[in-house]
Amino acid sequence: MASEDITKLAESLAKTKVGGGQLSFKGQSLKLNTAEDAEEVIKQIDEFDGLEALRLEGNTVGVEAAKVIAKALEKKSELKRCHWSDMFTGRLRSEIPPALISLGDALIAAGAQLVELDLSDNAFGPDGVRGFEALLKSPACYTLQELKLNNCGMGIGGGKILASALKECHRKSSAQGKPLALKIFVAGRNRLENDGATALAEAFGIIGTLEEVHMPQNGINHPGITALAQAFAINPLLKVINLNDNTFTEKGAVAMAETLKALRQIEVINFGDCLVRSKGAVAIADAVKEGLHKLKELNLSFCEIKRDAALTVAEAIEDKTELEKLDLNGNCLGEEVCEQLHEILESFNMASVLGSLSDDEGEEDDDEEEEDDDEEEEEEEEQQQLKERGTEEQESLTPKKIIDSQASTPVPSPPVDVATFLAFPSPEKLLRLGPKCSVLIAQQTDTSDVEKVVATLLRISSVFKDEAPVKTAVHETTDALMKKAFSSATFNSDAFISSLLAHMGLLKSEEKIKTVPSLYGILMTLNHIVQQDYFPKSLAPVLSAFVTKPNRALDSCSFARHMLLQTLHQL
């Protein structure tokens, strides 16, 4: 290590905060790559008697540095709180699991009994969960009360691994007479989707001691929401439920409303941007009216709630003396209803609890909502059909005599053509197109038309998953499509990137364009595309500039955004 680097490190460590059993290196931007880099940190740890909390946030720790820090932690049996968020900045995903394994093994060896583990804002993906899986299953976590994994890119696979580890921890700790009593669970922005949420719901139901659950921006639809609702019902101590920016629709909202009726300690309900719509809002209002006397905050903003439902919600809070905030912003009310809301709350002497209505969308017809509900739920059901019903669908489409004569032989799924896939994309349909799916889609797409290429690319990328077969199919199909497009002399690359950015909601368009509901799939797909030889490297700075800009849609896909920007910077 150069002398100037040592001086800089020493200056940073001089800012280290010590007190109350806590040693903090928070936000010092330390770059700890080697054992030598970590010498001063290790010294601080070694010399700290009674270490109960270690803060490493806002630094970057490599594999070798993690190993020597871990060695120092093996002597710290009193350690209870690990604040280890955002400590792998700029690291390859492959570096993070071994670093976590080293640190986890040290805590186990030390005989530590953790109360809090925070690994938020570390883009480790599903493999990263494997890195601390053994720690979660060990006696070091039998005492865990707070688990924070916000914005880690776990995906469905990571969610399932995590759920399994939590169940194993509960089983083992129960066998010793002290069951895991987790109180706070945080896992927002992880693309858990229905399968990941359902797996975690099973773990929550077994644990039964949760007080706060924060799972915003996870792409969860009504099947996953319903599973969570059922699990929450057997966690009677719940005070905070934050599921912001998932997709309830009426089915999920009604299921959650039934659960709320059974809970007595609820203080915060955050279902903002969850598309509960009017019928769901009325169901939630009924639950609020029946109980929830400790309620302090109710967020139903940006949920496409209409006039009568909003008024029903307002009327439901009449006797909620603890209420501090009611958020109904961004719904479809109109000026007259906004005034009525104020009047109702003024009559309860509660006008101060109503949040801003500045983003109200204006009054819409109720008929439109019913049509939207039907269309969305039909599409959801189609996408979930194969996964949920499995072989039932296949059997219903196969003559009985074939099943009887070949009961032990798997029955093939009905064929899918390119038009069907592009009309209603799903991972299952893409796989069922077979090994020639990439060729078929490229052949049937007019690559001289930029808009058609963009539309096809967005439909393919919308089914992206971290699971190997789906990921491979998406990559191969986009490769065939984009290689054909970019190799055409008539294809306008600049027009393509402009149109794509507009459809992603990152570039304003003069025409009214429907933007994609989630950027996760297209960001992950672009991360693959930009690395290919056919991709014009001249487009990389343009793409990087727009993905770097602050944007709410990008905030909900920070892991995918980070991956793409990291790749673009390496080009």
Side-chain angles (χ1 to χ4, degrees):
M1 182 183 268
S3 59
E4 59 267 25
D5 292 334
I6 294 173
T7 303
K8 186 178 179 182
L9 179 59
E11 289 173 354
S12 294
L13 290 170
K15 302 174 187 175
T16 300
K17 296 178 182 177
V18 177
Q22 173 175 285
L23 177 60
S24 176
F25 301 94
K26 181 178 180 180
Q28 294 183 20
S29 301
L30 302 175
K31 296 180 180 179
L32 308 178
N33 298 316
T34 65
E36 184 184 2
D37 294 341
E39 282 179 359
E40 289 294 328
V41 174
I42 294 164
K43 182 181 176 184
Q44 294 271 359
I45 294 172
D46 283 339
E47 294 176 355
F48 197 111
D49 293 329
L51 180 63
E52 294 184 6
L54 178 62
R55 307 196 76 105
L56 292 172
E57 310 104 305
N59 299 291
T60 179
V61 181
V63 176
E64 293 306 311
K67 285 180 181 178
V68 292
I69 291 172
K71 196 70 179 173
L73 291 177
E74 287 180 1
K75 307 163 195 168
K76 302 298 175 182
S77 61
E78 296 177 17
L79 188 61
K80 293 180 173 63
R81 298 184 182 275
C82 297
H83 302 280
W84 294 350
S85 64
D86 188 24
M87 64 178 233
F88 296 111
T89 304
R91 299 289 169 187
L92 297 174
R93 273 179 67 176
S94 59
E95 293 182 86
I96 301 175
L100 288 173
I101 289 170
S102 295
L103 294 168
D105 287 348
L107 297 176
I108 297 169
Q113 294 186 314
L114 296 185
V115 172
E116 179 179 359
L117 177 61
D118 186 355
L119 292 169
S120 299
D121 300 316
N122 290 310
F124 48 58
D127 292 340
V129 185
R130 292 284 188 200
F132 62 93
E133 179 185 16
L135 173 63
L136 278 181
K137 293 178 179 180
S138 76
C141 285
Y142 290 177
T143 50
L144 196 63
Q145 295 179 15
E146 301 179 29
L147 180 58
K148 300 173 182 177
L149 299 166
N150 201 56
N151 189 32
C152 292
M154 290 190 290
I156 294 171
K160 289 181 176 180
I161 297 167
L162 176 62
S164 178
L166 288 172
K167 288 189 289 184
E168 183 72 2
C169 181
H170 187 273
R171 185 186 68 79
K172 288 182 175 180
S173 57
S174 297
Q176 293 193 5
K178 292 184 178 180
L180 171 68
L182 192 66
K183 293 181 180 179
I184 298 174
F185 180 83
V186 181
R189 298 182 179 181
N190 271 293
R191 294 304 306 174
L192 295 169
E193 301 184 19
N194 289 334
D195 288 352
T198 301
L200 285 166
E202 186 178 340
F204 296 162
I206 292 169
I207 293 168
T209 56
L210 289 167
E211 295 180 12
E212 296 185 21
V213 175
H214 302 264
M215 296 174 65
Q217 298 179 354
N218 269 299
I220 308 170
N221 298 327
H222 72 79
I225 297 297
T226 300
L228 288 171
Q230 292 167 350
F232 293 165
I234 43 182
N235 279 265
L237 302 177
L238 266 174
K239 296 178 182 178
V240 178
I241 302 176
N242 176 6
L243 294 174
N244 189 286
D245 200 7
N246 289 292
T247 307
F248 282 42
T249 63
E250 181 188 348
K251 289 181 180 179
V254 169
M256 195 60 71
E258 285 302 308
T259 284
L260 291 175
K261 292 177 183 178
L263 299 175
R264 295 287 177 265
Q265 307 300 320
I266 289 291
E267 296 178 4
V268 177
I269 298 171
N270 186 345
F271 298 160
D273 208 6
C274 282
L275 209 66
V276 304
R277 293 198 169 122
S278 292
K279 292 177 183 177
V282 170
I284 292 168
D286 288 344
V288 171
K289 191 171 185 177
E290 286 185 22
L292 305 187
H293 296 293
K294 296 184 179 182
L295 188 64
K296 293 181 180 179
E297 181 179 335
L298 175 59
N299 184 346
L300 294 174
S301 60
F302 299 93
C303 281
E304 295 192 6
I305 298 170
K306 306 294 192 300
R307 170 196 177 109
D308 293 341
L311 297 176
T312 301
V313 171
E315 290 165 356
I317 67 168
E318 180 178 1
D319 63 344
K320 308 306 167 199
T321 56
E322 301 292 319
L323 194 71
E324 299 171 2
K325 184 176 182 181
L326 171 63
D327 193 345
L328 291 170
N329 198 19
N331 286 299
C332 310
L333 309 180
E335 188 176 340
E336 183 181 338
V337 177
C338 289
E339 290 176 4
Q340 284 182 272
L341 285 174
H342 282 286
E343 290 171 4
I344 290 171
L345 293 175
E346 280 178 3
S347 71
F348 300 156
N349 197 27
M350 296 176 71
S352 62
V353 307
L354 184 62
S356 169
L357 297 172
S358 59
D359 292 321
D360 183 66
E361 295 287 341
E363 192 170 1
E364 292 183 11
D365 294 335
D366 288 338
D367 290 343
E368 286 184 21
E369 177 182 321
E370 291 178 7
E371 289 174 8
D372 288 345
D373 268 330
D374 291 342
E375 287 175 10
E376 182 156 339
E377 289 183 7
E378 279 176 17
E379 188 171 334
E380 278 182 19
E381 284 168 9
E382 181 167 356
Q383 291 183 1
Q384 290 290 326
Q385 196 172 32
L386 290 177
K387 189 179 292 183
E388 293 175 353
R389 296 198 303 177
T391 55
E392 287 180 22
E393 183 187 66
Q394 295 177 0
E395 290 175 0
S396 68
L397 295 169
T398 309
K400 188 175 185 301
K401 62 181 181 180
I402 296 177
I403 295 176
D404 290 341
S405 62
Q406 299 179 343
S408 61
T409 304
V411 181
S413 299
V416 172
D417 58 21
V418 171
T420 303
F421 166 73
L422 293 177
F424 299 100
S426 74
E428 293 81 7
K429 286 177 188 166
L430 182 61
L431 294 176
R432 281 162 54 196
L433 279 172
K436 293 185 178 180
C437 64
S438 58
V439 176
L440 292 171
I441 290 176
Q443 285 178 343
Q444 296 185 38
T445 302
D446 180 3
T447 51
S448 65
D449 188 328
V450 165
E451 290 302 319
K452 286 182 180 178
V453 173
V454 169
T456 302
L457 174 61
L458 289 172
R459 286 182 172 88
I460 297 167
S461 65
S462 71
V463 307
F464 179 91
K465 283 189 176 184
D466 284 319
E467 298 168 6
V470 178
K471 183 194 289 189
T472 300
V474 169
H475 286 172
E476 290 178 350
T477 307
T478 51
D479 283 344
L481 173 69
M482 299 315 302
K483 187 174 183 180
K484 177 185 175 185
F486 285 127
S487 62
S488 171
T490 59
F491 187 71
N492 189 327
S493 298
D494 292 333
F496 164 77
I497 203 72
S498 297
S499 176
L500 180 61
L501 290 167
H503 281 279
M504 291 171 69
L506 306 182
L507 176 66
K508 288 185 179 180
S509 173
E510 294 179 2
E511 300 176 7
K512 189 173 181 180
I513 290 178
K514 185 177 180 181
T515 58
V516 293
S518 171
L519 295 182
Y520 180 77
I522 184 59
L523 289 172
M524 293 300 284
T525 304
L526 282 170
N527 185 52
H528 169 79
I529 290 173
V530 300
Q531 299 178 62
Q532 308 311 307
D533 291 339
Y534 60 72
F535 180 75
K537 297 302 182 278
S538 60
L539 298 181
V542 179
L543 190 56
S544 181
F546 281 92
V547 176
T548 304
K549 285 184 179 180
N551 187 288
R552 185 183 174 195
L554 287 169
D555 289 343
S556 65
C557 303
S558 53
F559 169 73
R561 179 191 202 177
H562 169 78
M563 292 290 291
L564 176 56
L565 286 175
Q566 191 174 46
T567 302
L568 287 169
H569 291 156
Q570 292 172 354
L571 291 179

